[in-house]
Amino acid sequence: MSSKSGKGDGGRNHKIATRLAHAGRNPSAHHGYVNTPVYHASTMLYPDAEAFVAHRSRYRYGRRGTPTSEALENAIKDIEGPLCEAVALLPSGLAAISATLLSVLRAGDHVLVTDSAYLPTRKLCDTILTRYGIATTYYEPTIGPGIAALLQANTRAVFVESPGSLTFEIQDIPAIAAVAHAHDAVVVMDNTWASPLHFRALEKGVDLSIQSGTKYIGGHSDLMLGTVAANKATWNRLKETVYEMGLCVGPDDMFLGMRGLRTMGVRLAQHQAAGIKVARWLEARPEVLRVLHPALESHPGHAIWKRDFTGACGLFSIVFKPAPTAAVHAFLDALTLFGIGESWGGFESLAVPFDCTPIRTARPWAPGGPTVRFHVGLEDVSDLLADLEVGFAAFAEAAHGTDGS
Ligand SMILES: Cc1ncc(COP(=O)(O)O)c(C=O)c1O
């Protein structure tokens, strides 16, 4: 963390809110300006031929780092905690996932991936990793220490995502990490839902912790960004993979990431509080069979969530009691404050239908009714609840007008 003068780490004991405000800044290196300038850069000039040949300079080339990328990497490293050796920035969350898996796997290896993983993570495993001779086994997300039974001699990595971003199973990550490490396999986590503000991934045994910065780091639905926090054992291979594949982030996107990070704590607190209010309200609705939100006492993973997490975000799902698809679509179409769209983590509320039943392979997923995922944004909760009331009225009308098939 920078100090007021920019002279180094004066804030080892600072709380996360303080870190979010100060991390990665060095005003004295920038004429006193609070924020790091946005360097639009490719070529960097050397003073003479000898310096060029010897690469005698702090930076080398835009793709390999600028003061802008360094500031964001350092800020995220600070937030990820003391076990973070360094951070890589990628052009999207999915790019962060693919670069990370490619950094720890090689032809002939086997990877264990949670059955609840973000669907494009699965597609990556089933296409590119397969093509490069890497085999994937999908495991039941709540398997815990039972994952030992699935390890093979060539298992080099275990991929976790807790909770799953559609189905919200909570994983026992310390137990999985203990088994993986005893087998010399690394643990890779998609930690986008909780972020390091609410789940200290590296301290819980994760070796490489990924965030889609597109979500709460950006926070405004106008940015694509991925981050990977690596521990000491995994950093060199990750750095090599990112460098050799030529992956980098545009300067304006890094600026948006840095700007978003400064307010991430207060936004996340509001998303969490509003999300829990809306989830509890939905839980009491007669149309709803179950709410899939780990912060609710009714959630099967609640005890582990309470043990390992310090908070939630604004993303959760519901299972309707059996109802025709037309009724669910009528519900969604009637909402005016909840947009229908991919992604989440922005200031605005969203609601999307989904169906994981054809996707799961470890164990059939049978929720008992149609499913919808909500992202609760920064709007006033009373307005959101009124909007949902309108949705339920349209749902009732559509359900009534069909034969339930
Ligand atoms: C849990 C999770 N991980 C990763 C990603 C991918 O992030 P990006 O959209 O930045 O590629 C998403 C995107 O929706 C996500 O929900």
Side-chain angles (χ1 to χ4, degrees):
M1 189 159 134
S2 72
S3 64
K4 188 172 164 196
S5 64
K7 282 187 188 150
D9 189 347
R12 283 187 200 286
N13 298 317
H14 285 149
K15 302 284 189 298
I16 198 81
T18 311
R19 291 177 177 278
L20 286 166
H22 288 267
R25 291 203 288 113
N26 191 356
S28 65
H30 306 292
H31 310 283
Y33 284 110
V34 168
N35 292 300
T36 306
V38 180
Y39 279 77
H40 281 263
S42 56
T43 298
M44 200 215 69
L45 300 176
Y46 292 78
D48 53 42
E50 193 278 331
F52 176 80
V53 170
H55 295 305
R56 206 185 317 289
S57 68
R58 175 148 181 207
Y59 302 100
R60 278 178 72 170
Y61 183 48
R63 173 165 29 82
R64 304 195 73 147
T66 65
T68 309
S69 61
E70 215 170 63
L72 183 55
E73 286 160 7
N74 287 341
I76 292 173
K77 171 172 159 35
D78 193 304
I79 307 305
E80 295 274 1
L83 294 180
C84 179
E85 177 73 5
V87 166
L89 303 177
L90 283 305
S92 71
L94 184 57
I97 293 165
S98 61
T100 303
L101 287 175
L102 289 171
S103 80
V104 296
L105 297 167
R106 64 175 73 175
D109 284 350
H110 172 242
V111 58
L112 286 166
V113 175
T114 176
D115 212 19
S116 55
Y118 173 60
L119 186 56
T121 302
R122 266 185 110 99
K123 284 197 180 148
L124 166 76
C125 296
D126 295 344
T127 56
I128 294 173
L129 295 194
T130 304
R131 206 153 69 228
Y132 285 89
I134 298 158
T136 303
T137 300
Y138 296 100
Y139 64 87
E140 166 61 28
T142 58
I143 196 168
I147 199 150
L150 299 181
L151 288 162
Q152 303 175 9
N154 59 343
T155 307
R156 291 277 62 86
V158 179
F159 187 94
V160 297
E161 183 181 325
S162 182
S165 66
L166 286 171
T167 47
F168 295 92
E169 298 90 342
I170 289 285
Q171 299 196 253
D172 189 343
I173 290 177
I176 290 174
V179 172
H181 290 157
H183 188 84
D184 236 7
V186 300
V187 179
V188 176
M189 178 173 192
D190 183 337
N191 192 25
T192 305
W193 186 86
S195 88
L197 275 62
H198 290 322
F199 184 78
R200 309 296 294 163
L202 298 176
E203 287 142 43
K204 299 282 182 209
V206 170
D207 297 286
L208 290 142
S209 182
I210 295 160
Q211 293 181 75
S212 163
T214 308
K215 314 300 190 249
Y216 289 112
I217 293 178
H220 293 73
S221 302
D222 53 8
L223 167 69
M224 301 300 303
L225 179 71
T227 71
V228 190
N231 64 12
K232 212 177 178 56
T234 56
W235 168 243
N236 282 340
R237 284 283 293 277
L238 177 68
K239 178 178 165 185
E240 178 192 68
T241 306
V242 172
Y243 273 22
E244 302 313 336
M245 291 182 71
L247 299 165
C248 62
V249 179
D252 292 323
D253 287 341
M254 292 190 279
F255 165 77
L256 287 174
M258 187 66 110
R259 166 172 278 212
L261 201 64
R262 302 297 176 209
T263 59
M264 183 175 170
V266 286
R267 285 186 285 105
L268 204 53
Q270 178 62 22
H271 285 291
Q272 166 175 230
I276 290 173
K277 273 189 197 156
V278 173
R280 287 199 193 288
W281 184 88
L282 285 164
E283 199 168 36
R285 291 291 309 195
E287 302 88 344
V288 174
L289 184 63
R290 278 187 300 141
V291 176
L292 310 179
H293 191 316
L296 300 191
E297 297 73 13
S298 56
H299 190 278
H302 182 67
I304 294 180
W305 176 80
K306 246 176 114 170
R307 184 193 72 187
D308 291 348
F309 290 67
T310 56
C313 68
L315 193 77
F316 64 92
S317 295
I318 64 167
V319 182
F320 280 91
K321 288 179 185 161
T325 302
V328 176
H329 285 189
F331 168 82
L332 293 168
D333 292 347
L335 301 174
T336 56
L337 296 179
F338 289 82
I340 303 170
E342 301 281 5
S343 200
W344 44 281
F347 51 80
E348 81 289 11
S349 289
L350 299 167
V352 285
F354 69 93
D355 179 11
C356 284
T357 50
I359 296 161
R360 295 300 192 91
T361 52
R363 187 195 287 175
W365 196 69
T371 42
V372 167
R373 184 181 74 179
F374 292 93
H375 177 252
V376 174
L378 301 178
E379 302 93 336
D380 191 285
V381 172
S382 63
D383 289 331
L384 293 178
L385 298 183
D387 203 33
L388 291 169
E389 287 276 14
V390 173
F392 280 118
F395 175 91
E397 204 176 307
H400 194 66
T402 68
D403 59 7
S405 59

